[in-house]
Amino acid sequence: MGTVTLGVSIAVPEPYGSQLQERRAGFGDPAAHGIPTHVTLLPPTEVDSALLPAVETHLTAVAAVGRPFPMRLSGTGTFRPLSPVVFVQVVEGGAACTWLQKRVRDASGPLVRELQFPYHPHVTVAHGISEEAMDRAYEELSEYAAAWTCASFALYEQGADAVWRKLSTYTFGGISGVPPQGTPVDEHATTL
């Protein structure tokens, strides 16, 4: 049957997702329009396509025990010189992201894997572009801020065209009266 390349992430909701995607494209990152703006829970992982039903069952179980949590982005950071990445920092919600990514990659499930680097929740805004453009991204988004209630995560598949497409969304269990993902916590959040 072959393999598929999967990723699991928390989508950055609108209007923030499109704003950051456009900024990423504006910095010259050729991957900007093929990667929805997100916080990674599982980096690109090759999986036997026959395991997709088990992956979906596993992610449904992870979501069932999760609860909505506040997410807040503020300012920039970088992994340079170790990795050519500039990102917007996750300043609230990082512990919940860490908890989720551990469960997504749990040894009892079909997505077990080791990470190349220690997990650090973030939103990439520039990757593998010129140093000058990376510096520009770092400085121009240094005062960026956004906030929302995270109530779900999603499974994505990377196509042969290198574009990531959502396969399924997994909403956290036990939700009652909580705004859906995409509802800003602070309607007056600073955006650029």
Side-chain angles (χ1 to χ4, degrees):
M1 250 183 117
T3 62
V4 291
T5 301
L6 302 177
V8 178
S9 63
I10 294 169
V12 174
E14 295 305 326
Y16 315 123
S18 292
Q19 290 169 350
L20 289 174
Q21 190 173 44
E22 289 304 316
R23 295 304 301 271
R24 184 171 179 172
F27 297 131
D29 190 328
H33 290 294
I35 304 172
T37 308
H38 68 281
V39 175
T40 299
L41 298 176
L42 176 77
T45 302
E46 195 171 301
V47 175
D48 186 317
S49 56
L51 290 176
L52 270 173
V55 167
E56 291 175 352
T57 298
H58 171 66
L59 294 177
T60 297
V62 170
V65 297
R67 296 293 177 264
F69 59 92
M71 286 282 288
R72 190 164 57 90
L73 308 178
S74 182
T76 51
T78 184
F79 294 131
R80 295 184 294 173
L82 189 59
S83 181
V85 172
V86 171
F87 56 87
V88 173
Q89 298 184 70
V90 173
V91 296
E92 185 176 6
C97 292
T98 299
W99 182 89
L100 280 169
Q101 66 87 28
K102 284 180 184 174
R103 272 126 197 99
V104 167
R105 296 184 306 104
D106 190 81
S108 67
L111 296 173
V112 62
R113 69 163 284 178
E114 293 296 319
L115 298 179
Q116 183 178 0
F117 300 105
Y119 183 73
H120 181 87
H122 65 280
V123 177
T124 299
V125 291
H127 180 243
I129 56 178
S130 73
E131 288 297 317
E132 296 78 17
M134 300 272 269
D135 291 343
R136 205 173 103 233
Y138 186 87
E139 294 193 18
E140 288 183 17
L141 292 172
S142 65
E143 294 186 27
Y144 186 88
W148 71 93
T149 298
C150 177
S152 65
F153 60 86
L155 173 65
Y156 292 83
E157 179 180 352
Q158 186 178 37
D161 57 1
V163 173
W164 287 91
R165 293 175 180 85
K166 185 170 24 174
L167 297 179
S168 301
T169 298
Y170 301 89
T171 302
F172 298 133
I175 299 174
S176 59
V178 175
Q181 181 173 346
T183 302
V185 172
D186 178 2
E187 294 290 342
H188 303 289
T190 303
T191 57
L192 297 178

